[in-house]
Amino acid sequence: MTRYYFDLVDQDGVVVDEEGLEFSDMEGVEYEAARAMADAARESFHRPITPGESTIEVRDDLGPIMRVRFKVEIERLRSSKTATA
């Protein structure tokens, strides 16, 4: 089994995974990366919402192998003022 590390990169900086987890196949690594990204996205909504991108960068002892991204993009389609007649 290979040990993989799941580092979080966002507008606040980098959180390095120093422990990692062991997996025997890439499907397990992909699932864990997606789960970690979902957890990070959920946590980000406990702060004021700002546009930005968060990334889980997966690496093994040889270097990076995968990246999972979550992006918050806010596009205002009209002003918040109520139209008056």
Side-chain angles (χ1 to χ4, degrees), residues 25-40:
D25 58 43
M26 287 306 293
E27 288 78 18
V29 175
E30 289 177 4
Y31 178 84
E32 179 60 25
R35 190 201 60 73
M37 185 76 272
D39 288 349

Side-chain angles (χ1 to χ4, degrees), residues 11-85:
Q11 58 269 24
D12 294 330
V14 179
V15 178
V16 176
D17 176 6
E18 295 180 8
E19 295 180 24
L21 297 169
E22 290 187 344
F23 292 92
S24 59
D25 58 43
M26 287 306 293
E27 288 78 18
V29 175
E30 289 177 4
Y31 178 84
E32 179 60 25
R35 190 201 60 73
M37 185 76 272
D39 288 349
R42 191 172 15 266
E43 286 294 318
S44 74
F45 288 111
H46 292 289
R47 302 178 293 218
I49 298 174
T50 58
E53 183 174 285
S54 297
T55 304
I56 297 291
E57 294 185 350
V58 182
R59 61 187 166 81
D60 62 12
D61 291 332
L62 300 176
I65 60 159
M66 182 184 307
R67 184 175 292 132
V68 178
R69 289 190 177 113
F70 174 78
K71 184 174 184 176
V72 175
E73 186 174 83
I74 299 172
E75 180 180 1
R76 293 184 181 186
L77 302 177
R78 62 183 171 109
S79 73
S80 60
K81 295 180 182 178
T82 306
T84 57

